[in-house]
Amino acid sequence: MSQARALLLHNQLTRPAILDAIRAVDFPKGSRGLDAGCGLGMHTRWLSEAVSPDGTVTGLDQSHEHLRLATEDAPANTLFKPGDLFHLPFPDNEFDWSWSADCLWAGPKEEGFGCEDPVPLLRELSRVVRTGGTVVILFTSAKALLPGYPALEAQLDTASAVSYPFLKGADPRIHLMRTLEWMNDVGLHDLKARSFIANIQGPLDEETIKAVSSYFPMYWDRAKTEVKSEVWREYERLCRPDSPDFILNLRDFYGFLTITAFWGTVMG
Ligand SMILES: C[S@@+](CC[C@H](N)C(=O)[O-])C[C@H]1O[C@@H](n2cnc3c(N)ncnc32)[C@H](O)[C@@H]1O
């Protein structure tokens, strides 16, 4: 499955949670916002509905392929621009708010993370927002995807250490659950943190099965070399779509993902 297809399925699955987050932040009607690292522009669309009819949302991404897909049938009050999160191509105070979801994954460069230190990125997201405006960071934080197998799920999580943007030995301060500290570091005020749930309830339709199936290798295939062979066999029995015991075929499947949002106000 292509990265864009996996992202689209993820966007569809998490839509209710993202809409809850948008409602909780309560963007003013008519405001101008930035969706930094907008991917396929799904959040950009949903955000643009929140600020309609007079507000606008600009989606920014470094991937030309993502931006091409984002502009297809995009609402009139959205626009898209190529650019780098670390050097936003906008003057100071350009927006009423900025939003960045699942982009600030900090960690060792050699492990494939986008940056070593999230604070400069947060400073950049604050720079382009006017005094009194809002900076919002979101990420996919926790999950429960193997109902009935908590020990297996815990072993896979521990072994792969990719279900969270945090690796053994990394500085705890760059873990995304410490976003409030980074927000304090850059001088944001009135900080808030809330988690929103994307519920996954069976019987699952084909699209949801594809979405959740795409999480299994992403979260847990790295565990293969770390876990005992019986743990790996159990994982394959439950998580491979061609297995007769594929867990997503359970009529009464229930699982969830959480989306955590942090936001704060820019002070002059
Ligand atoms: C996991 S996707 C999230 C997309 C979108 N925010 C969402 O939640 O659906 C991360 C996005 O960040 C973009 N990205 C990563 N590093 C970037 C950078 N330095 N500058 C701009 N975009 C970047 C990628 O191209 C990708 O589209």
Side-chain angles (χ1 to χ4, degrees):
M1 186 187 297
S2 71
Q3 200 197 350
R5 174 87 179 125
L7 184 54
L8 181 64
L9 290 169
H10 174 71
N11 286 149
Q12 285 164 351
L13 191 93
T14 54
R15 183 171 184 267
I18 297 296
L19 294 182
D20 284 345
I22 291 173
R23 271 190 292 272
V25 177
D26 194 18
F27 296 100
K29 289 273 176 205
S31 57
R32 284 158 46 95
L34 170 67
D35 180 7
C38 65
L40 309 178
M42 299 309 287
H43 295 193
T44 321
R45 285 163 192 252
W46 304 332
L47 288 159
S48 77
E49 284 162 19
V51 298
S52 281
D54 300 322
T56 57
V57 185
T58 301
L60 173 128
D61 206 282
Q62 68 181 6
S63 161
H64 289 273
E65 175 60 5
H66 285 176
L67 287 179
R68 187 184 64 75
L69 295 165
T71 47
E72 281 176 9
D73 304 319
N77 64 337
T78 58
L79 48 131
F80 292 93
K81 197 175 164 95
D84 181 8
L85 284 168
F86 293 84
H87 307 283
L88 293 173
F90 306 105
D92 297 357
N93 310 315
E94 176 79 352
F95 299 101
D96 296 306
W97 50 267
S98 61
W99 164 286
S100 186
D102 279 332
C103 290
L104 273 176
W105 295 67
K109 283 260 188 208
E110 61 273 17
E111 294 284 350
F113 286 85
C115 69
E116 302 265 347
D117 179 2
V119 173
L121 268 80
L122 198 56
R123 196 162 280 128
E124 192 60 354
L125 289 168
S126 306
R127 178 186 66 75
V128 296
V129 171
R130 64 164 172 82
T131 300
T134 308
V135 176
V136 193
I137 299 291
L138 301 94
F139 68 101
T140 310
S141 43
K143 60 183 169 19
L145 296 176
L146 295 182
Y149 299 89
L152 176 66
E153 188 158 5
Q155 285 178 73
L156 291 165
D157 277 346
T158 305
S160 62
V162 289
S163 53
Y164 302 98
F166 180 67
L167 295 178
K168 211 159 69 177
D171 181 349
R173 277 181 47 86
I174 66 171
H175 186 263
L176 279 161
M177 289 295 280
R178 304 282 279 261
T179 300
L180 292 178
E181 285 181 29
W182 319 337
M183 290 190 154
N184 260 318
D185 285 353
V186 304
L188 295 175
H189 281 238
D190 195 18
L191 304 186
K192 294 193 178 69
R194 301 274 185 282
S195 292
F196 304 91
I197 295 181
N199 292 292
I200 310 166
Q201 181 179 343
L204 305 181
D205 60 31
E206 213 173 298
E207 290 289 277
T208 308
I209 289 182
K210 280 188 191 141
V212 183
S213 304
S214 76
Y215 298 139
F216 292 149
M218 180 177 80
Y219 286 132
W220 293 323
D221 272 12
R222 281 176 61 153
K224 186 171 186 178
T225 53
E226 308 294 321
V227 294
K228 292 192 175 141
S229 56
E230 57 266 31
V231 171
W232 189 250
R233 274 200 300 278
E234 190 69 336
Y235 164 63
E236 296 207 300
R237 181 176 78 77
L238 295 167
C239 298
R240 296 299 189 216
D242 53 359
S243 162
D245 299 323
F246 185 41
I247 196 158
L248 301 184
N249 288 337
L250 282 179
R251 191 198 55 191
D252 295 315
F253 180 91
Y254 178 70
F256 62 81
L257 294 177
T258 61
I259 304 289
T260 300
F262 299 91
W263 65 102
T265 304
V266 175
M267 299 304 279

